[in-house]
Amino acid sequence: MEPAGTEPESRPPAQEPPGSTALPSEEPEWGEAAPEPQQEAEGVPPPAPVALGRRPNGPGSKGQAKRGGAGKGARGKRGSTRRAGEEGGRPARRPHVTVDSSKAKTSLEALKISLRQLRWKEFPFGRRLPCDIYWHGVSFHDNDTFSGQVNKFPGMTEMVRKITLSRAVRTMQNLFPEEYNFYPHSWILPEEFPLFVAEVRMMKDNDPPWKPTFIVKPDGGCQGDGIYLIKDPSDIRLAGNLQSRPAVVQEYISKPLLIDKLKFDIRLYVLLKSLEPLEIYIAKDGLSRFCTEPYQEPTLKNLHQVFMHLTNYSLNIHSGNFIHSENVNTGSKRTFSSILYRLSSKGIDIKKLWSDIISLVIKTVIALTPELKVYYQSDIPAGKPGPTCFQILGFDILLMKNLKPVLLEVNANPSMRIEHEQELSPGVFENVPSPVDEEIKVAVIRDTLRLMDPHKKKKKDNQSQLSEYASDPKEDLLEPEPTNKLEHDIRKNPEASLPSLCLKQVFPKYAKQFSHLRLVDRMAALFIRFLGVKGTMKLGPTGFRTFIRNCKLSNSNFSMASADILYIDITRRWNSMGIDQRESGMCLQAFVEAFFCLAQRRYKSLPLHEQVASLIDFCDYHLAILDEKRLVCSRGITERRAALVTCQPDGLHLTSATPAPLLNRMTTASKFTDYRNHRS
Ligand code: ADP
């Protein structure tokens, strides 16, 4: 598979890198390039490949490149698949999974290849009947979808904007400073500019030799757009319109890990399979994007050199030094596994590194989920028809010199392009397949689809999907089946021809280690409960009063009038920050702040996270009592009504009252025990 002459040092790990359990451990070397694809007939999906894996020149055909909306020059080997036993007539198979790809945009090409490998049915122009899966290129709202599954969550794009992400992480940093120290110290501009100035001055006073650098990143920007480095708060470009272009200013990590003297970052793909219950998968391999000029620690002289400081592919591709490589372990874009292999050959503990990265990912998702749930119930209110959602996220991570991973940002729409632009001669550009992108991205999309397969979901065996998929392609390779038997199996189940999943479940697998962090999630559950009107995202004053009353939070020290003042103060401040003015009322982050205030008043001596946990337990306990009372009450009504019905001489038909839904299914008794345990 490797071209001759590759340095053994930089060979990617075809097998598990030494010492790692988390990395692709048994990725078998599947077959080489495959013949041309079959024409796709209406209603009949194209054949699945027998052989998959790295194809040095990139698979595909010209025709498909065109259909897939690839750039005009897409060179045509993409989409090549080996015919799998179609000669014997139509294979017996389960119903095809149907996928609407009409809004897939730049992920279309990789999606098409994935669907072909899975033998699923693509609807490139949409379909009048509902599809099983809708693949959106940008957001949940790309299409009006009322059923099936959509590959985007409502609100994700908003949640991962630089300011919102920084706020969500900061809330977690307030609760768990040690656990969330993987995100650089950040300030939100313009509102925290005075705080930024004051804090930097204080830190400099305390530590005079400290010569920090900061990076200013416009909110909602991408691809390095508008980013610049500064040495002093006074260098912020306040002139003009800071107000109209809010930003995050962040401590700049000035000692990154270098490879070949170059700064690089890691793009990892993470599948948020479900919000409730939380399910997270991480792709075992990702991409490493390299700068194109040797790194030097920031000085006033080199601050402006973007090819030295910013790892964005979209910037560095324009550097004369950018190296396009057919090989996944050389060039300016490489697989992450090739980096790990290289580090491990230098004796670095990549098992620890990988587990730090997994923690970073899980903790970040835990920071994002509370508000995502608010968006979710607003767009898809419980009880109304709507799709279920999943989403592939792109995590950008920087490794520090000491190998500590740092979160740079999360992308709601990570690029799924599998080609890049190349300048053939001055001014003449052509889109050419990018083998590195294709190897990583097609596997991520294909395996996301495998995990979301609606037919598998229906089977409803509670067995872990992972173990089902992991059933072992390696064994097939080691003890090859007779060809006919293999073809027969592939016809029955196209997955028989696929490699084991590239996505590894990390949550709930490691839930135990992280569940104590999910305090904001529990606050969000309270918030949602009191939102009242379906479809809203902000709590009105009445909802807040009901929360205070039902949770028994007012007393002689804290009157309902004080609760009103707290509501007004905090809500006014959050709304003045210009966050989502469409609705009036208290947003989740404001509610969290109010909750912190209430917790601090009640449990003064505890650390913040314990104060908050205690108050949540207290609220849950009182709400459970209330629910129980309502249930008893509604039972009483039902019984009285039933008695009434049996007494009706004319057989009047009354529908029996349904018991009030118990939002929280824990019994009062168990809540009480929980509450008491926590307090003792
Ligand atoms: P964008 O969305 O515009 O790509 P990022 O937050 O990813 O914005 O930043 C762009 C690049 O800047 C990153 O890929 C990384 O190379 C560099 N960078 C961003 N934040 C930091 C930081 N705190 N320390 C060091 N480098 C950073």
Side-chain angles (χ1 to χ4, degrees), residues 118-399:
L118 291 166
R119 293 182 167 212
W120 289 7
K121 177 75 188 107
E122 182 195 353
F123 287 85
F125 307 108
R127 188 191 190 197
R128 252 184 295 148
L129 291 172
C131 276
D132 295 311
I133 294 180
Y134 296 81
W135 197 270
H136 291 184
V138 179
S139 95
F140 174 77
H141 296 285
D142 284 356
N143 247 333
D144 286 335
T145 323
F146 302 101
S147 65
Q149 305 183 73
V150 183
N151 70 324
K152 300 281 183 229
F153 279 94
M156 186 66 90
T157 311
E158 290 81 353
M159 275 315 297
V160 300
R161 286 172 73 101
K162 291 179 173 61
I163 288 183
T164 340
L165 175 70
S166 299
R167 278 195 213 287
V169 175
R170 185 185 299 168
T171 303
M172 298 306 291
Q173 286 174 330
N174 289 337
L175 287 165
F176 304 101
E178 300 293 309
E179 304 260 15
Y180 279 82
N181 63 8
F182 57 82
Y183 191 67
H185 197 155
S186 307
W187 296 265
I188 290 156
L189 301 178
E191 76 228 28
E192 292 178 356
F193 182 67
L195 185 72
F196 171 51
V197 174
E199 288 193 357
V200 171
R201 187 178 308 137
M202 199 178 69
M203 289 189 273
K204 278 187 173 170
D205 287 349
N206 289 342
D207 180 14
W210 185 53
K211 296 268 176 292
T213 305
F214 303 96
I215 181 164
V216 185
K217 312 194 223 180
D219 188 42
C222 60
Q223 305 188 330
D225 173 37
I227 291 184
Y228 60 96
L229 304 188
I230 54 171
K231 288 299 249 177
D232 190 86
S234 61
D235 300 332
I236 286 205
R237 293 173 199 160
L238 277 169
N241 51 5
L242 189 61
Q243 282 294 350
S244 65
R245 194 153 196 207
V248 166
V249 58
Q250 198 169 70
E251 164 200 358
Y252 184 74
I253 307 299
S254 57
K255 292 187 193 309
L257 181 73
L258 304 181
I259 285 189
D260 300 333
K261 300 198 173 101
L262 300 170
K263 177 174 170 179
F264 66 97
D265 76 353
I266 306 159
R267 159 62 56 84
L268 273 189
Y269 298 94
V270 171
L271 169 65
L272 181 54
K273 183 168 180 271
S274 149
L275 258 188
E276 193 68 67
L278 184 58
E279 284 183 66
I280 310 169
Y281 288 74
I282 300 185
K284 294 178 197 168
D285 203 355
L287 296 168
S288 302
R289 288 107 28 121
F290 280 72
C291 278
T292 39
E293 263 173 40
Y295 184 77
Q296 287 164 13
E297 284 194 31
T299 60
L300 281 175
K301 271 196 180 157
N302 69 31
L303 277 189
H304 316 289
Q305 299 191 24
V306 289
F307 298 147
M308 175 187 289
H309 291 293
L310 306 188
T311 47
N312 297 82
Y313 164 79
S314 50
L315 292 174
N316 284 282
I317 187 127
H318 299 296
S319 149
N321 296 337
F322 192 93
I323 303 170
H324 290 288
S325 175
E326 294 275 298
N327 188 330
V328 293
N329 47 346
T330 57
S332 299
K333 202 193 259 186
R334 312 179 193 176
T335 58
F336 178 45
S337 58
S338 75
I339 304 293
L340 283 172
Y341 191 76
R342 191 153 160 176
L343 295 177
S344 112
S345 71
K346 290 184 176 158
I348 286 168
D349 182 357
I350 57 170
K351 198 173 166 184
K352 157 119 183 32
L353 172 58
W354 188 237
S355 96
D356 288 347
I357 289 176
I358 290 175
S359 297
L360 176 154
V361 167
I362 295 175
K363 288 173 185 174
T364 305
V365 175
I366 285 177
L368 294 173
T369 51
E371 212 159 331
L372 277 177
K373 286 182 184 171
V374 177
Y375 276 101
Y376 199 91
Q377 62 78 41
S378 163
D379 271 285
I380 313 171
K384 285 201 178 165
T388 53
C389 306
F390 62 95
Q391 187 152 1
I392 299 170
L393 300 169
F395 273 65
D396 290 352
I397 294 169
L398 188 71
L399 296 182

Side-chain angles (χ1 to χ4, degrees), residues 435-664:
V436 185
D437 287 289
E438 181 168 332
E439 169 161 333
I440 302 299
K441 295 174 183 175
V442 169
V444 168
I445 292 184
R446 182 194 64 225
D447 291 352
T448 293
L449 291 170
R450 286 163 82 185
L451 282 169
M452 302 316 300
D453 183 340
H455 300 323
K456 286 233 166 72
K457 275 192 169 177
K458 274 184 206 150
K459 269 195 207 160
K460 247 203 161 181
D461 52 41
N462 276 344
Q463 216 189 6
S464 143
Q465 297 231 20
L466 199 65
S467 60
E468 187 179 331
Y469 289 117
S471 66
D472 198 358
K474 187 174 146 214
E475 271 168 25
D476 290 349
L477 270 190
L478 293 176
E479 290 173 49
E481 303 242 15
T483 323
N484 289 345
K485 168 98 170 54
L486 189 62
E487 282 184 0
H488 175 77
D489 285 351
I490 291 166
R491 281 183 208 176
K492 268 175 58 184
N493 174 16
E495 288 210 2
S497 66
L498 300 176
S500 61
L501 278 187
C502 75
L503 293 161
K504 173 189 160 70
Q505 194 203 57
V506 293
F507 202 97
K509 189 173 181 194
Y510 303 122
K512 259 194 194 155
Q513 288 109 291
F514 298 93
S515 50
H516 68 286
L517 301 176
R518 303 188 67 192
L519 289 184
V520 186
D521 242 355
R522 295 179 64 197
M523 280 182 256
L526 291 170
F527 177 79
I528 290 170
R529 177 178 171 135
F530 290 98
L531 275 179
V533 185
K534 281 183 180 172
T536 51
M537 292 188 58
K538 289 193 177 170
L539 192 61
T542 315
F544 190 71
R545 282 185 134 239
T546 315
F547 155 69
I548 298 284
R549 196 178 314 111
N550 289 3
C551 295
K552 304 268 181 273
L553 296 177
S554 70
N555 51 33
S556 52
N557 289 330
F558 186 71
S559 64
M560 283 310 275
S562 317
D564 287 342
I565 293 171
L566 182 71
Y567 176 88
I568 292 167
D569 274 358
I570 294 185
T571 303
R572 190 178 292 155
R573 200 159 40 73
W574 277 85
N575 287 346
S576 73
M577 290 179 208
I579 305 157
D580 188 9
Q581 301 286 16
R582 280 169 298 173
E583 259 183 71
S584 64
M586 179 182 250
C587 62
L588 175 68
Q589 290 289 332
F591 178 77
V592 168
E593 188 182 323
F595 203 91
F596 283 9
C597 287
L598 294 167
Q600 278 159 345
R601 292 175 72 101
R602 198 170 264 270
Y603 306 101
K604 288 193 180 74
S605 56
L606 300 174
L608 181 64
H609 68 273
E610 285 186 34
Q611 293 172 344
V612 169
S614 302
L615 190 64
I616 295 173
D617 288 343
F618 183 86
C619 294
D620 282 352
Y621 166 67
H622 285 290
L623 292 175
I625 291 183
L626 195 70
D627 287 341
E628 201 115 313
K629 272 191 196 158
R630 283 183 183 158
L631 187 65
V632 170
C633 219
S634 69
R635 265 200 214 126
I637 292 171
T638 315
E639 276 157 21
R640 258 181 277 136
R641 280 195 186 173
L644 208 67
V645 170
T646 46
C647 293
Q648 293 292 332
D650 59 356
L652 189 69
H653 294 293
L654 293 180
T655 43
S656 58
T658 31
L662 265 183
L663 274 171
N664 199 325

Side-chain angles (χ1 to χ4, degrees), residues 37-47 64 67 99 101 112-113 115-116 119-125:
Q38 234 191 10
Q39 192 63 41
E40 187 180 335
E42 175 58 20
V44 182
Q64 267 145 5
R67 268 190 292 143
V99 180
S101 64
K112 276 181 182 293
I113 296 175
L115 293 177
R116 228 175 282 134
R119 293 182 167 212
W120 289 7
K121 177 75 188 107
E122 182 195 353
F123 287 85
F125 307 108

